[in-house]
Amino acid sequence: ATEVAERIRLTLAEGKELELASAIRITASLGVSSLASGAKTPQELVDQADKALYAAKEGGRNRVIQWASLEKESENPAAPSPPAMVQSQPSAPLRPEPVDEQQPGILHQRIQELEQALVEQRENPAAKLFFDESIGLPNKLLMFDRMQQAIERARRFEKQFAVLILDFSRRQQVDDIINLEDAGKLFKTISVKLKRILRTTDTIAVVEGQDPAYSVSRINNDKYAVLLTDLSQIESVSRVVERITEGFDEPLTIDDMAIQLGVNIGISLYPGDGRSAEALVNRAVNALQEARQLPGRHNYRFYSEEIDKKLKYQAQLTRELFKADERGELLLYYQPKISLKTGRISGMEALVRWQHPRLGLVPPDQFISLAERNGIIDKIGNWVIRTACRQAALWREQGFGNVPIAVNLSPVQFQNEDFAEQLLQVVAESGGLPKFLELEITEGVVMQNVDRAVKIMNTLSRSGIRIALDDFGTGYSSLSCLKRFPIDNLKIDRSFLTDITENPADAALVSSIIAMAHGMNLSVTAEGVENETQLRFLHDLQCNEIQGYYISKPLPPEEADQLLETEHGIRRKIQTILTDPDRDARFLATSSASTMETILNHPPRQYSKIT
C-alpha cells in the first residue's frame, strides 16, 4: 500500500501520465494504514490513516507516512524505523520557500490556485480520456480501470462480480433520429435512465447488503457496460437484469417523440468466466451475441462453455465462408411455386446452400447470419443474383420457357441506399431480364426505414423486377404503410398454415389476407404447404400460388430440370385433389357468414355432420 501511495505522490509531483507539466504543480501528502495495524473496524482504519496523513503534513508535506511506522516510533522513540517502514522522502521542493497557510492572505491565494488548477484540469485532454462528457458517463478506459480494481478486491475478499454488456435495438423512427446532429440526445437519455435504474455510483464500494454496487460506462454509441461488484449471491444479477428490462419497457421521449427500444444483455461472472478484464468483457460480448438472436424485445444470456464452443465454431465458419464462392462451394437450390389456377410451375424460389468440404451441406440458417455480421452478405447476395439470372437464361435455352426466379434479400443489403443501383448492375452484367426476377423482402426490413425502403423499391419496380413481401403477417407493418410500397405479391408465412383447418383464428387470418391482397390487386403465395387439406383450403380461398414440401422440397439444378420436364405430373396430382368428391374444405370457404361462424367453432371432423 505504501508503494502504491508513493507512486501516486510521484505521479502528481512530476506530472507523469496526466500531462500536468503545463498546469500548476500539485504536491500530495498521503497517510497509509492497514489491517496489520490492529484496526477492528473501517472507522479505526480511516482514523489511523488520517493520523498518518496529519504527521505527513506536519513533517513538511509532499511525503507518504504509514501509521505502523508511527506506532513503532511511539513505542521506541530511539529505535530507527525498519527499511519497510521508512517514510518516503520529499522530492525537490516545488515552491521556492515554505508557505504558512495560517495567514489568511496566503490561504486565499492557495484556494485561488486550486480553483484555477481545476479549471485547467477540466480543459486538459488527459482528463477527457476517461469520461464522456456528452452523456455524463465514464468511458471504456475508465471501465477497464474499475474492473481491475474489482478483480483485486474480489481476490482479497473472495467476492464475485458481474460484467453486463448492453446494446439497444431500434424501432421505427429511431434511425431517423440517429442521423440528426443532436443524435446525442438519445444516448444521453439512455444514460440518464440507466443511472436512475441502477443508482449508479461513481466509485466502487464494498457493500454488505443484498444488492451489489453499480458502475455504468459507455463503450461506444450503442453499447454500455454495467459492473456489478461485491456480489454475495449470483441471484442479484438476475434482479438487476429485470430492473433494466422493466425500466426500458416504457418508451423514451426525445423532443416530444416516443422512442421504443429493446435491450439485449450479455453477462459474464468473475472468477468463473475469466480472471482478467479483457476476458470478462469478451465473454460478456459473446453472450450478448447469443441474446441478440433470441426472439422478443428484451433478452439476456449468461456466458457458458456452450456459447464459447458455438462462437468458436462460428468464427471458423466465418473464416471459411470468405472463400466459399471462390472455391465453388456455394450452391443454389430451387423450390417450385405452383399456380392453383393452372396447376403449372409458375416460378422457382432460389435458396442458397453451402457445400462445405468437411461439414457437408450447410443450411442457410447456420451461415447467413454470420455473413450479415461479418460484411460478407453483399458478396454472397451478388453471387446469388448472378447465378439465378444465369439459371433462368439456361432454362429458356433448354426450352422450358420463362421461369421467374425469386431471391431473398438480407436486411443488411437493404440498408445500403445505393443497393438498387448496384443490384441492377449485377443483373445487367449477368445477362438477366429484370422482369423474370422477383425479390422477396420481409416486413421488418421495409419498416425499419419506410422512406428509404419506398425509394429503393420504386427504383427496382420501375426496372421491371417484381417485389414480394415475405413472411407476411409476422411483422408489424400497417396497411397505411403497405399501400405506399410497390408490391406485386404477398407471401403468407408458413406458421399460419400449420393448423389452418383446426385453428379458427389462423383460418380467418389467412382468408382475410387473401381477400385484402386481391382487393389491392396483389397476388398471394402461401408457403409451407405440406398436405392435401391445406392445398384444397387455399384453392377454395382463391390463393394464387402455393409452395411447400407437399409439392416439392428445394432441389439442386439438375433435379429442378427433371421437375420442369415432368411438370404434367404435378398438374395431374393437383387436378385429382381438387376434383375429389370430399367438399368439406370448399363448403367451409363458400358458406355464408353465419354458417362460417358455426363451422369455425367446430373441429374439421364434424364438417360432414354440419353439412
Side-chain angles (χ1 to χ4, degrees), residues 408 414 438-447 453 457 466-479 481-483 485-493 513 516 520 522-525 527:
N408 292 281
F414 216 71
E438 181 174 86
L439 300 179
E440 296 188 359
I441 305 167
T442 62
E443 285 183 80
V445 173
V446 296
M447 294 306 297
M457 293 166 71
R466 287 174 54 84
I467 297 175
L469 199 59
D470 199 10
D471 299 337
F472 187 77
T474 62
Y476 43 86
S477 63
S478 65
L479 295 180
C481 288
L482 186 61
K483 67 182 182 181
F485 302 139
I487 296 170
D488 302 286
N489 185 28
L490 289 184
K491 292 196 73 174
I492 301 175
D493 186 70
I513 291 174
M516 178 198 68
M520 299 176 68
L522 306 177
S523 64
V524 182
T525 302
E527 55 183 353

Side-chain angles (χ1 to χ4, degrees), residues 200-495:
T200 307
T201 57
D202 290 331
T203 59
I204 301 175
V206 178
V207 293
E208 297 294 332
Q210 293 295 319
D211 281 337
Y214 307 109
S215 182
V216 182
S217 303
R218 183 194 189 191
I219 56 180
N220 62 31
N221 275 357
D222 288 351
K223 287 188 174 59
Y224 294 76
V226 175
L227 184 62
L228 305 178
T229 60
D230 306 296
L231 297 173
S232 56
Q233 51 186 12
I234 297 304
E235 289 75 10
S236 300
V237 180
S238 298
R239 288 201 299 271
V240 171
V241 168
E242 290 174 6
R243 190 181 302 170
I244 294 172
T245 55
E246 288 172 1
F248 283 92
D249 276 341
E250 295 297 322
L252 302 180
T253 302
I254 310 292
D255 292 336
D256 298 325
M257 182 182 294
I259 305 299
Q260 193 75 65
L261 295 178
V263 58
N264 298 301
I265 306 173
I267 307 159
S268 63
L269 303 172
Y270 175 90
D273 296 335
R275 295 180 177 269
S276 69
E278 292 78 6
L280 290 167
V281 169
N282 289 339
R283 287 172 177 176
V285 169
N286 289 346
L288 173 64
Q289 292 181 17
E290 284 291 300
R292 294 176 67 178
Q293 297 178 31
L294 298 174
R297 215 177 97 214
H298 303 317
N299 296 296
Y300 69 93
R301 286 293 297 270
F302 284 85
Y303 173 81
S304 67
E305 290 296 331
E306 290 72 21
I307 290 178
D308 188 49
K309 290 178 182 177
K310 178 179 178 180
L311 291 173
K312 287 179 179 176
Y313 168 75
Q314 291 179 342
Q316 181 182 353
L317 279 186
T318 301
R319 289 192 295 271
E320 296 170 342
L321 188 56
F322 272 101
K323 299 288 185 180
D325 64 328
E326 299 174 9
R327 296 171 180 164
E329 296 171 1
L330 294 181
L331 305 172
L332 277 191
Y333 275 42
Y334 299 91
Q335 187 175 35
K337 296 193 288 185
I338 307 300
S339 168
L340 285 179
K341 184 176 182 180
T342 65
R344 298 178 62 92
I345 295 176
S346 53
M348 295 278 192
E349 180 179 359
L351 302 164
V352 65
R353 300 287 187 268
W354 181 9
Q355 186 65 52
H356 193 280
R358 178 170 47 85
L359 301 173
L361 200 63
V362 182
D365 60 353
Q366 292 188 22
F367 69 88
I368 290 297
S369 60
L370 296 180
E372 291 174 338
R373 290 200 299 268
N374 293 280
I376 320 173
I377 192 63
D378 286 334
K379 185 179 181 182
I380 293 178
N382 290 340
W383 177 87
V384 169
I385 295 292
R386 282 195 300 269
T387 306
C389 289
R390 290 168 183 166
Q391 183 63 62
L394 183 60
W395 279 333
R396 284 196 300 272
E397 293 173 6
Q398 293 173 339
F400 295 125
N402 294 316
V403 181
I405 297 181
V407 174
N408 292 281
L409 290 184
S410 161
V412 176
Q413 291 174 278
F414 216 71
Q415 290 173 6
N416 179 3
E417 291 191 0
D418 298 326
F419 167 71
E421 290 75 13
Q422 294 173 5
L423 185 144
L424 291 174
Q425 183 178 351
V426 172
V427 172
E429 291 172 353
S430 63
L433 298 176
K435 64 180 179 179
F436 299 122
L437 181 65
E438 181 174 86
L439 300 179
E440 296 188 359
I441 305 167
T442 62
E443 285 183 80
V445 173
V446 296
M447 294 306 297
Q448 286 179 4
N449 188 317
V450 174
D451 292 335
R452 182 175 61 200
V454 170
K455 178 182 176 182
I456 292 174
M457 293 166 71
N458 280 331
T459 301
L460 296 172
S461 182
R462 285 193 296 267
S463 73
I465 292 177
R466 287 174 54 84
I467 297 175
L469 199 59
D470 199 10
D471 299 337
F472 187 77
T474 62
Y476 43 86
S477 63
S478 65
L479 295 180
S480 61
C481 288
L482 186 61
K483 67 182 182 181
R484 294 181 57 189
F485 302 139
I487 296 170
D488 302 286
N489 185 28
L490 289 184
K491 292 196 73 174
I492 301 175
D493 186 70
R494 65 181 66 246
S495 62

